[in-house]
Amino acid sequence: MRVTRTNAICRILALLIGLGGVVCTGPDHSLAANETTQPATRQPLAIQFSLDRPIDAAAAPFVMAAAGGLFGAEGLAVTTNIASGSPDAIARVAEGSSDFALVDINALVRFRDKHGAAPVKAVFVLFNQAPYSIIARKSRGIKALSDIEGKNLGVAEGDLSVRLWPAVAKLNGIKLAGVKQYSISAAVREPMLSAGQVDAVTGFSYLSAVNLRDRGVPADDLAVLRFADYGCEAYGFAVIVNPSLAATRPEAVKGFVRAAIAGTHLAIKNPGRAASEVVSRMDGGLRDLELERLHAIIRDNILTGEVRHNGIGGIDPVRFERAIDQIAEDFRFQKRPSAADIFDDSFLPPLNGRLIN
């Protein structure tokens, strides 16, 4: 898997060396890794893959798929680019500048409700539970979700967790008007909570909580209130595919999904190596932090009871319908979608190819 470069030197090197797996430092974070050489009789299919944010531990399954030559084994030459968020990544897939993307599936639900939206669908769910959460300081009087009323909640611009907060608040009898929300920059989310300028923030459990501990906030002073523990039905990150590619190259889509599943197996089996591979492709990443994030992701978001029973990658249609209802607490649909409008399971391997031991 290679990453597109904005640095001119890297582009020149890439032209000279081709698929040689050169890693160049530059503003884009790389998932680059050498892949197995394809047989001379088989030309790999060039694939553009978008991540919706700079690389971190959440991308470990795809990093491991690249490092292990799994994409190459499926006849795919994957180049990764970094989008500015899920809406941007979805737009790239919709217009065809990217073939696949890893995005928040709930953002896809909202996108599909736009007039004239391309029929983009998810084909593989990586996060069986969304990482949405409120991260609070116990020393500020918040130990459970019921303690949030009367407190100050910092919400970063573009935060995805807050979109499901109305549904979670309703489920738990919390009055939204009783919580003082403040719009803040994502860059100051953890510093403001660390400094006590707000009592809690919304964010991803595996990001903000780990960042705060790294800033010196004692772990026993943090309350990580995961929405999934308070009735949120939402799935999280999922792989989406360009409709044209899905229609014309279904075997390529199946191959990408197989490689992603195998990469997930590798990340779960050897998280230490996965963290090292991720950090080697980051600008200034710290292995201990990414390993901590990866452990949290595997425990809280990937290896859920549903996945252990039903295998990785799919959805429970009944649960997904409930999740759409919860999205509607903060989003007025022009036409409410069904689970089948958003997720296509025809590219998944059989159950025995999706079970995680």
Side-chain angles (χ1 to χ4, degrees):
M1 184 184 291
R2 296 168 290 127
V3 171
T4 53
R5 311 292 184 183
T6 58
N7 187 293
I9 295 175
C10 292
R11 288 199 298 267
I12 293 170
L13 286 173
L15 289 172
L16 291 173
I17 303 176
L19 298 176
V22 173
V23 178
C24 302
T25 57
D28 287 342
H29 298 310
S30 175
L31 298 190
N34 290 332
E35 296 201 0
T36 54
T37 303
Q38 295 298 309
T41 57
R42 184 184 183 189
Q43 282 284 65
L45 177 66
I47 292 293
Q48 285 284 338
F49 174 49
S50 292
L51 294 175
D52 80 336
R53 65 196 61 239
I55 181 176
D56 61 23
F62 306 96
V63 170
M64 295 301 283
L70 303 174
F71 288 122
E74 295 289 351
L76 305 175
V78 177
T79 299
T80 299
N81 57 80
I82 308 300
S84 61
S86 280
D88 180 31
I90 295 168
R92 294 184 188 196
V93 171
E95 70 185 16
S97 59
S98 284
D99 302 294
F100 298 92
L102 183 67
V103 304
D104 183 285
I105 197 170
N106 307 292
L108 176 64
V109 172
R110 299 182 190 102
F111 169 85
R112 287 293 308 272
D113 194 56
K114 295 179 180 178
H115 178 72
V120 177
K121 293 186 179 183
V123 292
F124 170 73
V125 172
L126 178 63
F127 278 21
N128 182 261
Q129 289 185 349
Y132 306 151
S133 64
I134 287 176
I135 300 92
R137 299 284 297 275
K138 294 179 182 178
S139 56
R140 307 284 292 189
I142 305 174
K143 297 181 179 180
L145 198 64
S146 57
D147 299 325
I148 198 72
E149 287 196 53
K151 303 297 184 180
N152 300 322
L153 179 64
V155 178
E157 182 180 356
D159 177 71
L160 295 170
S161 301
V162 76
R163 304 297 298 272
L164 268 293
W165 170 230
V168 173
K170 182 178 180 180
L171 284 169
N172 292 274
I174 296 170
K175 297 178 181 178
L176 289 175
V179 182
K180 301 173 184 177
Q181 290 191 26
Y182 293 90
S183 296
I184 59 177
S185 165
V188 300
R189 172 168 42 196
E190 285 83 22
M192 287 186 69
L193 183 58
S194 178
Q197 294 173 282
V198 291
D199 302 312
V201 296
T202 58
F204 286 179
S205 55
Y206 69 88
L207 286 176
S208 291
V210 175
N211 291 345
L212 283 160
R213 286 193 290 271
D214 185 51
R215 293 184 65 86
V217 178
D220 59 6
D221 189 33
L222 286 175
V224 182
L225 310 174
R226 298 175 59 247
F227 287 4
D229 294 332
Y230 290 92
C232 183
E233 301 276 13
Y235 290 86
F237 286 129
V239 172
I240 61 173
V241 65
N242 174 265
S244 178
L245 182 71
T248 60
R249 305 297 293 266
E251 290 306 315
V253 179
K254 291 178 181 179
F256 188 96
V257 171
R258 283 193 297 266
I261 292 172
T264 305
H265 273 280
L266 291 177
I268 293 171
K269 182 179 180 180
N270 194 341
R273 182 195 167 198
S276 295
E277 293 284 356
V278 166
V279 170
S280 72
R281 292 154 174 83
M282 296 175 68
D283 186 6
L286 297 175
R287 183 182 182 277
D288 287 347
L289 287 183
E290 295 311 313
L291 180 57
E292 185 178 356
R293 291 192 216 283
L294 184 54
H295 280 305
I297 288 168
I298 292 170
R299 179 189 68 239
D300 296 336
N301 309 116
I302 295 179
L303 273 184
T304 67
E306 185 175 306
V307 166
R308 292 182 184 277
H309 185 266
N310 298 332
I312 194 169
I315 63 167
D316 175 346
V318 176
R319 173 187 159 189
F320 198 82
E321 294 288 348
R322 294 196 299 267
I324 293 173
D325 287 340
Q326 292 182 349
I327 291 172
E329 292 290 337
D330 182 65
F331 184 83
R332 179 171 295 181
F333 288 109
Q334 299 181 62
K335 181 182 178 182
R336 184 193 182 284
S338 67
D341 294 325
I342 306 301
F343 186 79
D344 184 350
D345 65 1
S346 66
F347 300 100
L348 292 172
L351 177 60
N352 61 6
R354 297 189 289 113
L355 292 175
I356 303 289
N357 294 323

